[in-house]
Structure formats: structure tokens, C-alpha cells
Amino acid sequence: MEQHMPRFRRIREQDFLEIMRLAESCDPIPLERDSIYHLFTRHFGDTCFVAVDKGRIVAFLLGIISQTNRRIGYVHNICVDPNWRRRGIGRRLYQRFMSKIVDQGCRRVFLIVNPANIVSIEFHKRLGFRECLDDELVELGDVKAIRDYNGPGKHMVVLWRVASS
Ligand SMILES: CC(C)(COP(=O)(O)OP(=O)(O)OC[C@H]1O[C@@H](n2cnc3c(N)ncnc32)[C@H](O)[C@@H]1OP(=O)(O)O)[C@@H](O)C(=O)NCCC(=O)NCCS
């Protein structure tokens, strides 16, 4: 039998409180300042998406198109409610995002991941992302992170792939 799936739609400004609450249950991503969620829903709503079931948001993706290079999309955050994982929801959120940014002329997509977040790294690799290797690297087990990417000692894995819908 086919699995029940939520409905996907663009984010709305008033979603920000609900996605903040969802993020709290989305360990291990770091919690943002509240204003960041509001900023994304208010000013970047064209490239942010949610999955909704029975009126409740169960997943979100916050993405942008770079203002310094309009051919680049960037995913700031993706989160699926733990009860809804491994059902293809994260993949579908990316499909929505990719389709939107490809229409706008984007060629590549980037994101950064904490090296300890192995689930996210595996998920993104399944979606075709690869590590950026063109900077000073730190090898942490099987993971290659960019040294001091987010400040001293804050090494981050930078992932990229070609944008395609
Ligand atoms: C990462 C996350 C968004 C994945 O969402 P999801 O809806 O469970 O992922 P999907 O079901 O769409 O999976 C897509 C692919 O990734 C793979 N995948 C998903 N979770 C995985 C895991 N824990 N380990 C290995 N592979 C995994 C799936 O097998 C699937 O591959 P396939 O379609 O080729 O079989 C979700 O686990 C999450 O919200 N994690 C916490 C928040 C977080 O870390 N976000 C990333 C911040 S950078």
C-alpha cells in the first residue's frame, strides 16, 4: 500500500513560529535565533518550502538564491519531524527547491553541514551532493571538512551538486 504523504507548499510568513518549534525537535541541527526563521519566511519565501499534514507542518527547507552569484542556490537548513523521516520527504523538499531555482537560472547548489551530522551527510550524498575539496581540509574520520570555515576550530563540511529539477 502506498504511504500517506503530506502536502508540499511554499512557506508563508506566519509559518515561522511553527517551524521554530519543529526545529527544536530536529536534533542535531543548531537552533537559530528566532529572527532568522522570521527573516526566511518573510523575505525568502520564494525558495523555502514546507510539508503539511492535517494542518501541521512536519518538515521545512529554508533556501536562497545567492545575491552575489545568481547561478548559485544555497540551503540554509532542512528539517523533517523525526516521526516522518525515511519516507522521501526530505528528497521531495529538495525537488521543490531545485525546480524553483533552476527556473531562476541556478546551476549549482551548496550547503554546509557540521562534520558530526553523519545522517545529514549521508542523506545529501544519496541526493547527489559531493564534498568541496578545493580548500584547506581537515579529515575527521571518513569526513572531509573545510578548516575554520565558520571561525577558528569550526570546521564545516561544504557539500555541492549541480542544480537540476
Ligand atoms: C536529514 C533529513 C532532512 C533527511 O530527511 P528524510 O525525509 O528522512 O530523508 P528521505 O526519506 O527523503 O531520504 C532521502 C535519501 O536519503 C537517505 N537517508 C535518509 N536518512 C538517512 C540516514 N539516517 N542514513 C542513511 N541514509 C539516509 C534515504 O535512504 C534516501 O535514499 P534513497 O531515496 O536513495 O533510498 C532528516 O533526517 C532530518 O531532519 N535530520 C535532522 C535535521 C538535520 O540534520 N538537517 C540537516 C542540516 S544540514
Side-chain angles (χ1 to χ4, degrees):
M1 202 174 73
E2 207 168 289
Q3 254 182 347
H4 172 68
M5 283 300 276
R7 196 170 59 81
F8 294 82
R9 65 160 169 79
R10 264 180 53 184
I11 222 160
R12 301 177 187 136
E13 182 176 358
Q14 61 270 30
D15 291 333
F16 85 93
L17 290 171
E18 206 179 335
I19 66 171
M20 258 166 52
R21 281 194 293 271
L22 176 55
E24 282 167 15
S25 69
C26 256
D27 191 56
I29 51 172
L31 297 179
E32 314 279 6
R33 290 160 66 109
D34 297 353
S35 58
I36 294 288
Y37 293 106
H38 198 183
L39 181 139
F40 269 93
T41 63
R42 184 175 170 93
H43 295 293
F44 297 97
D46 262 8
T47 48
C48 298
F49 298 91
V50 290
V52 183
D53 182 68
K54 299 186 179 81
R56 201 173 65 84
I57 293 175
V58 297
F60 65 82
L61 180 153
L62 306 179
I64 59 171
I65 293 174
S66 168
Q67 291 197 353
T68 49
N69 183 345
R70 307 289 301 173
R71 295 189 167 204
I72 287 180
Y74 180 80
V75 172
H76 176 68
N77 210 340
I78 177 169
C79 171
V80 177
D81 181 318
N83 298 315
W84 287 83
R85 289 184 189 166
R86 307 298 294 258
R87 300 192 199 187
I89 293 175
R91 184 183 280 280
R92 281 180 169 81
L93 283 170
Y94 261 102
Q95 284 164 353
R96 294 292 295 249
F97 175 70
M98 292 278 184
S99 165
K100 180 70 192 183
I101 66 167
V102 165
D103 280 355
Q104 306 280 315
C106 282
R107 300 275 176 82
R108 289 181 178 207
V109 182
F110 286 81
L111 75 143
I112 59 170
V113 184
N114 187 312
N117 194 347
I118 300 298
V119 165
S120 175
I121 294 168
E122 289 300 317
F123 162 77
H124 283 98
K125 286 190 171 173
R126 293 295 296 175
L127 266 57
F129 283 84
R130 295 289 169 261
E131 290 150 327
C132 282
L133 302 174
D134 55 357
D135 223 317
E136 194 185 338
L137 298 173
V138 186
E139 296 205 18
L140 304 160
D142 291 340
V143 176
K144 294 185 182 66
I146 301 210
R147 183 181 295 281
D148 300 334
Y149 186 90
N150 269 350
K154 295 182 182 164
H155 318 311
M156 297 297 282
V157 181
V158 179
L159 298 174
W160 77 278
R161 61 161 272 187
V162 169
S164 64
S165 46

